[in-house]
Amino acid sequence: MSMDHDDLRPLPMRGLQVFEAAARLGNFTRAGDELGITQSAVSRQIGELEGRLGLRLFERSGPLITLTRGGEILCERAMRAISELRTGLAACRAAEGKSNIVTLSMLPSVAALWFAPRLEEFGKAHTCIDLRISASRHLVSFTAEGIDLAIRYGIGSWPGLAAEFLASETVQPMCTPEYAARHSIDRPSDLLRATLIHPDTEEGWVDWFAVEGVETGAIPSGPKFSDDTAALNAVLGHQAAFLGRSVLTDRDLAAGRLIAPFGTTLEASYSYWLVYPPEVEANESCDSVRNWILEAFRAVSPIS
């Protein structure tokens, strides 16, 4: 049996990884979000892979993409190969005595405000686990970035991944006791005289004032932070009030560093989820981290 010399060239692994993500998600932009690269970079990688293979993998119609017959065949094998590689890497780590390493991905705000205060608690419960925290805003690629588990904020739908519900949350006005006293915040309408940090979420000040029946006219302008940690630091510095998220502020409220002057809350549109590839084999260390995360979130927001 003869073999074409071209078949002996190294496989374009990065291109295959990008192709697998685009095929699985059905969209170049979502594939880029998962891999932490731009949509144009995904398109370029796919184009280079198609040129390398000498065949079209997708039919394109504007933003819509569909696999060709050849793309379907390659997709099936690429998914299988990537899954096998991940399983093999886990086996290698176990053989080298490194199966206790668990890499957990989460948003920087969740890492700083939810996990960091619980670091000692986790360490005491799991002295043998070498936990690595990957804090990033992009949707990580589990295979490419060596991620075992991820805490994500959304509606619970990530194609190709298993998602376990962790907790819902509410948002409500919060500030420090000093700020409330200085600005005489006694009634909901008093907040209209305060500096308001505007949230980077679906729920905003207009929604909250509407529930309270406050005629707002024009809500005062204020800064908008893309990261909850920065917003919280400004509030704890007695600079403003914000719509605090219950899961990220529970310890500051309990300690009295923050107060919620009014009882009215808004249900957040998104929830917290534990996400991981469904094909990953059971691992004692990963299972221990998973169980600890589930229990820790239940303590903040009990699951009914």
Side-chain angles (χ1 to χ4, degrees), residues 231-251:
L232 178 59
N233 285 339
V235 173
L236 290 174
H238 318 301
Q239 301 297 307
F242 78 153
L243 286 173
R245 292 164 53 182
S246 58
V247 168
L248 301 184
T249 58
D250 65 313
R251 296 206 169 189

Side-chain angles (χ1 to χ4, degrees), residues 1-5 7-8:
M1 177 180 176
S2 63
M3 181 178 291
D4 191 295
H5 175 72
D7 293 333
L8 298 177

Side-chain angles (χ1 to χ4, degrees), residues 162-240:
E164 291 188 79
F165 177 79
L166 292 174
S168 57
E169 70 176 352
T170 59
V171 298
Q172 65 184 124
M174 297 181 192
C175 61
T176 60
E178 294 86 346
Y179 190 84
R182 190 167 75 241
H183 292 271
S184 302
I185 298 176
D186 300 312
R187 298 174 300 176
S189 59
D190 293 334
L191 285 167
L192 293 173
R193 295 185 281 100
T195 298
L196 303 181
I197 293 177
H198 291 261
D200 188 25
T201 60
E202 295 290 325
E203 301 73 35
W205 285 107
V206 170
D207 306 297
W208 189 83
F209 281 120
V211 172
E212 281 285 359
V214 175
E215 291 293 335
T216 59
I219 294 178
S221 61
K224 182 175 183 178
F225 294 90
S226 62
D227 181 74
D228 288 279
T229 308
L232 178 59
N233 285 339
V235 173
L236 290 174
H238 318 301
Q239 301 297 307

